[in-house]
Amino acid sequence: MKDTTTRKLMRQIMDAAGNVVYTYDAHWIIVNRLKNRQICIKIAQIVLTALSTGGFLASIIAGIPWLSWIGGLTSAIALALNLYSLNFNLPEEIKNHTEAANALWDVREAYRDLITDYEDMTNDQIREKRNDITREISRINKEYPGTDERAFIKAQKNIQNYMFSEKEAAKILNFEEDVTN
């Protein structure tokens, strides 16, 4: 019975740890997407403002009336973009997803520690540690925004970025001892 319970606990912990890794990566994917959107909006605002100002000035200086239409049109688009920006606080969203990812990093490492120490623990100790980590994940999920399906799908594709063979890890860490696979 103990062996079956121990295997079930390990399977549950491995599944939960895997979900944390996916969610961690999904938050960073969202952060990068939001940062790119923010940069595009800022560049568009600058370009549209320059075009609208240039159009109005050129129409006045050159006396070409259709340039004021271009200036007015680009000004209206810039206004729409500014109104869009007011409805979405991208810097705050970026901050929240970054903090969520950072919090999940700690959880991910707690799971790694639990898996490493697993064989030296009793089932009750394992359950206690698992429950502590579950409570922390619950707190994070309540405090921070969730991820979306698009980010989660991309995270599933990225998961190989987190996998190292023992030889690769030893090389990265400059670990001198001969490690075999």
Side-chain angles (χ1 to χ4, degrees):
M1 179 75 164
K2 182 169 173 33
D3 288 336
T4 303
T5 301
T6 302
R7 280 194 305 273
K8 285 180 181 178
L9 282 169
M10 178 55 86
R11 183 72 216 149
Q12 182 186 41
I13 290 166
M14 296 291 279
D15 286 345
N19 285 330
V20 167
V21 171
Y22 282 130
T23 307
Y24 166 82
D25 195 44
H27 277 290
W28 283 118
I29 289 166
I30 292 171
V31 166
N32 291 329
R33 184 188 330 141
L34 292 173
K35 283 181 178 180
N36 288 336
R37 183 179 302 160
Q38 184 179 31
I39 289 168
C40 289
I41 288 172
K42 286 182 179 188
I43 290 171
Q45 287 172 324
I46 291 168
V47 168
L48 289 169
T49 301
L51 288 173
S52 64
T53 302
F56 286 125
L57 290 177
S59 72
I60 292 170
I61 294 170
I64 304 173
W66 61 269
L67 289 176
S68 56
W69 281 99
I70 291 174
L73 181 62
T74 55
S75 179
I77 295 169
L79 175 62
L81 194 56
N82 288 334
L83 291 172
Y84 169 83
S85 296
L86 283 176
N87 289 329
F88 299 100
N89 189 348
L90 291 179
E92 184 67 21
E93 285 186 58
I94 290 167
K95 177 181 174 275
N96 287 338
H97 283 284
T98 299
E99 288 175 356
N102 289 335
L104 287 171
W105 174 268
D106 292 338
V107 170
R108 179 189 131 163
E109 294 306 305
Y111 271 125
R112 288 174 61 122
D113 292 345
L114 176 57
I115 291 166
T116 299
D117 298 339
Y118 189 85
E119 291 179 10
D120 298 328
M121 300 171 75
T122 66
N123 285 345
D124 288 338
Q125 291 171 321
I126 293 166
R127 283 186 190 100
E128 183 179 339
K129 184 67 175 166
R130 177 205 57 197
N131 293 343
D132 290 344
I133 296 171
T134 301
R135 280 190 287 278
E136 180 61 12
I137 292 170
S138 178
R139 184 195 65 75
I140 291 167
N141 287 338
K142 290 173 186 170
E143 185 173 342
Y144 298 107
T147 60
D148 57 31
E149 185 177 355
R150 187 172 135 202
F152 202 79
I153 290 169
K154 189 169 182 181
Q156 287 176 317
K157 292 176 184 175
N158 289 347
I159 199 67
Q160 294 304 316
N161 296 338
Y162 296 107
M163 305 299 174
F164 296 105
S165 70
E166 287 186 41
K167 287 182 180 180
E168 287 174 311
K171 184 176 181 182
I172 290 169
L173 298 171
N174 292 321
F175 189 61
E176 299 297 325
E177 187 176 317
D178 182 33
V179 179
T180 60
N181 265 341

